[in-house]
Amino acid sequence: MSEFEHESVPHEKTLDSSVALLNEGYEFIFNRRKEFGSDIFETRLLGKPAICMGGKEAARLFYDTDRFHRQGAIPKRIQKSLFGQQGVQTLDGQEHAHRKRLFMDLMTPERLEQLEGITEKAWLEAANRWIGRESVVLFDEARDVFCRSAHQWAGVPLEEDEVRERGQEYIDMIDAFGAVGLRHRRGRQARARAERRIAELIGEIRGGLRQVPEDTAAHAMAWHRGLDGQLLDAKVAAVELINIVRPIVAISWYVMFAALALHDYPAYADKLRMKAYGNGKAHGNGAEAGAGEYAQWFVQEVRRFYPFTPLLGAEVSRDFVWRGCEFKEGTMVLLDVYGTNRDPSLWEDPESFRPERFRFWEGGPFDLIPQGGGDHYTGHRCAGEWLTIDLMKVSLDFLVNRISYTVPEQDLTLKLSRMPALPESRFVIGNVKLAGS
């Protein structure tokens, strides 16, 4: 698919595509981009005009803060389940930049290294609990590992008997994103419970009833002041603290996908073992992979190849024309995240899983966008992207070098109509043993 070159913009001939979006899920925009031979098309969603687009240049446009805004663009049903109301994802301009800095200040190399150590320890403790069990569900175990790690790192109290319940609350918030009915209701209820609990914690910190380390997210959110110089409302501070913990728990999806990749493409496990401690070099195409570099390629390919974020939304701030399309103020615009990560004009043989494709990748901000595009500091790209990559590498090392396991027969099909995608079995492993035992 080449960059959009048409004089006229395709318009989907339907009264409303909302049902089609639910039925096709991740492929909704991508299917029509291929059908129309265009990176941009017009349709109707939820009874309103909408513009759908994908590809590198569309992503670059989408993150132009002079032309698009997020406030009011994210549906209430998603705010009340996934993001929370008045969270950083819903802000624009100076208010967004000020709040985003709060998040980025938590992502220092020292703090990320601390979280890596906490997570590595949590994985090893989990492995010791698995020994002797016939099987475990990796997705559920990852949920618990990341819930423990995130709470400890963020300074949020968590009793051992609460781990599974709290972890599932975060999973339910995420799982509600593309859902209707019971799944969506579970997500809203989980968020409401979490916000009440965390708002109480914020009140205890401010009232001197609970002490938390000053370098933690709990302390930062409790004492953050907005542009008006006032402390955040306790509920908004709770929303933002959840927006630190929840995305860490969401890495459970990527760990499951990494395990699925190791299962479907077992030759890569051998390459990862060889590189684990810098004992080997990967030769080819005139380049070598040092210690950890191959793991980086593998993690990036997991993030590119497997379906997590399907699309992102914004609203047009002012009238303008781009590639022959009239963007009217107030129009909903959807960016095809899944399709951009698989766009053949950006990725050679995109339907193949090939970590080596990242050997010479220059790290463009608008081609690999599983967690959004643009700049981490000034735009709406996920503040926790570096954290995600680091914890994926810790988890990958655990799966490849710290334990051995078998994968019993199970249905690992990923249905792209389900958002977020999740196989029914959630990846079961058995006969877990510690490496060397």
Side-chain angles (χ1 to χ4, degrees):
M1 190 186 309
S2 62
E3 290 182 358
F4 175 71
E5 298 174 344
H6 301 287
E7 291 295 322
S8 59
V9 176
H11 190 102
E12 193 172 17
K13 294 178 173 62
T14 181
L15 293 177
D16 195 283
S17 295
S18 301
V19 174
L21 173 57
L22 287 174
N23 289 337
E24 297 176 46
Y26 287 87
E27 296 183 298
F28 170 77
I29 300 178
F30 201 33
N31 283 342
R32 284 151 184 77
R33 288 173 58 203
K34 291 183 284 189
E35 177 186 347
F36 293 136
S38 170
D39 281 343
I40 185 170
F41 65 91
E42 298 178 34
T43 188
R44 293 186 69 84
L45 293 167
L46 301 176
K48 298 179 180 180
I51 297 171
C52 300
M53 58 186 190
K56 183 176 180 178
E57 294 309 312
R60 190 188 306 277
L61 174 70
F62 184 81
Y63 285 97
D64 184 339
T65 56
D66 290 332
R67 293 178 169 178
F68 299 96
H69 61 266
R70 302 307 189 269
Q71 192 166 22
I74 300 175
K76 292 292 185 182
R77 65 187 307 275
I78 294 179
Q79 292 184 46
K80 291 181 178 180
S81 56
L82 181 62
F83 292 136
Q85 295 181 282
Q86 300 181 57
V88 65
Q89 298 93 344
T90 69
L91 303 179
D92 294 294
Q94 290 186 337
E95 192 176 6
H96 173 263
H98 183 68
R99 188 84 61 83
K100 186 67 175 289
R101 172 61 66 175
L102 167 66
F103 282 79
M104 295 309 299
D105 285 348
L106 296 168
M107 304 298 164
T108 64
E110 295 77 17
R111 290 288 288 149
L112 293 180
E113 185 176 353
Q114 183 185 54
L115 180 55
E116 290 172 31
I118 292 171
T119 305
E120 181 179 15
K121 181 182 178 183
W123 274 121
L124 292 174
E125 290 173 348
N128 280 295
R129 291 192 294 270
W130 302 345
I131 295 172
R133 293 170 58 179
E134 183 177 345
S135 65
V136 296
V137 179
L138 182 63
F139 180 82
D140 294 349
E141 297 295 328
R143 171 202 63 200
D144 294 351
V145 163
F146 288 123
C147 184
R148 286 188 184 92
S149 300
H151 276 76
Q152 180 181 342
W153 183 71
V156 180
L158 181 70
E159 298 296 331
E160 181 58 29
D161 60 2
E162 296 178 305
V163 171
R164 181 145 297 189
E165 180 182 356
R166 299 292 176 250
Q168 191 58 45
E169 282 182 347
Y170 297 118
I171 294 296
D172 287 344
M173 293 179 207
I174 301 158
D175 200 41
F177 168 79
V180 293
L182 180 60
R183 272 175 55 205
H184 179 72
R185 188 159 61 250
R186 279 200 303 260
R188 290 181 69 146
Q189 292 170 345
R191 171 161 285 283
R193 289 193 303 271
E195 287 183 2
R196 286 194 296 269
R197 186 176 63 255
I198 300 298
E200 288 179 7
L201 171 64
I202 296 295
E204 291 174 358
I205 294 171
R206 289 175 176 173
L209 300 177
R210 186 180 294 273
Q211 301 296 318
V212 294
E214 291 188 5
D215 62 350
T216 62
H219 185 276
M221 300 306 173
W223 298 110
H224 177 71
R225 294 183 182 273
L227 290 174
D228 60 2
Q230 300 299 309
L231 291 174
L232 293 178
D233 177 86
K235 184 176 179 181
V236 176
V239 165
E240 299 299 39
L241 187 48
I242 292 170
N243 279 333
I244 287 288
V245 177
R246 172 188 49 78
I248 296 175
V249 179
I251 300 171
S252 303
W253 263 272
Y254 280 131
V255 170
M256 179 189 62
F257 290 148
L260 183 57
L262 292 170
H263 176 64
D264 288 342
Y265 312 102
Y268 289 118
D270 295 333
K271 293 183 179 182
L272 287 163
R273 289 188 190 100
M274 185 177 68
K275 311 298 184 305
Y277 302 106
N279 296 328
K281 296 288 186 179
H283 297 279
N285 298 331
E288 297 180 338
E293 191 174 9
Y294 198 87
Q296 176 83 6
W297 301 347
F298 187 92
V299 162
Q300 294 288 48
E301 182 68 345
V302 168
R303 296 173 67 237
R304 184 199 71 83
F305 185 78
Y306 288 96
F308 188 50
T309 303
L311 49 85
L312 293 167
E315 198 170 273
V316 179
S317 298
R318 57 180 175 82
D319 293 358
F320 69 94
V321 177
W322 184 78
R323 301 276 172 93
C325 181
E326 295 185 10
F327 287 74
K328 297 288 188 181
E329 181 179 349
T331 301
M332 179 196 317
V333 177
L334 299 180
L335 177 66
D336 182 12
V337 173
Y338 174 81
T340 300
N341 289 334
R342 287 172 171 257
D343 193 324
S345 72
L346 301 174
W347 308 100
E348 182 180 354
D349 193 15
E351 299 302 319
S352 295
F353 184 87
R354 277 192 10 232
E356 289 83 1
R357 73 173 73 248
F358 286 96
R359 185 190 302 272
F360 298 116
W361 183 61
E362 296 180 356
F366 300 109
D367 46 11
L368 182 68
I369 57 169
Q371 292 173 264
D375 183 78
H376 291 92
Y377 287 91
T378 61
H380 282 269
R381 194 178 191 117
C382 178
E385 184 171 24
W386 302 331
L387 177 155
T388 299
I389 293 169
D390 288 347
L391 295 191
M392 284 181 70
K393 288 195 287 189
V394 168
S395 304
L396 182 63
D397 178 66
F398 169 76
L399 291 173
V400 171
N401 297 303
R402 302 301 184 91
I403 61 171
S404 64
Y405 57 88
T406 59
V407 180
E409 190 72 23
Q410 61 192 289
D411 183 3
L412 292 171
T413 304
L414 289 174
K415 296 179 181 178
L416 295 179
S417 59
R418 190 194 197 281
M419 300 181 291
L422 185 69
E424 194 67 30
S425 69
R426 306 191 306 281
F427 206 89
V428 176
I429 61 175
N431 303 311
V432 176
K433 298 178 181 177
L434 295 177
S437 62

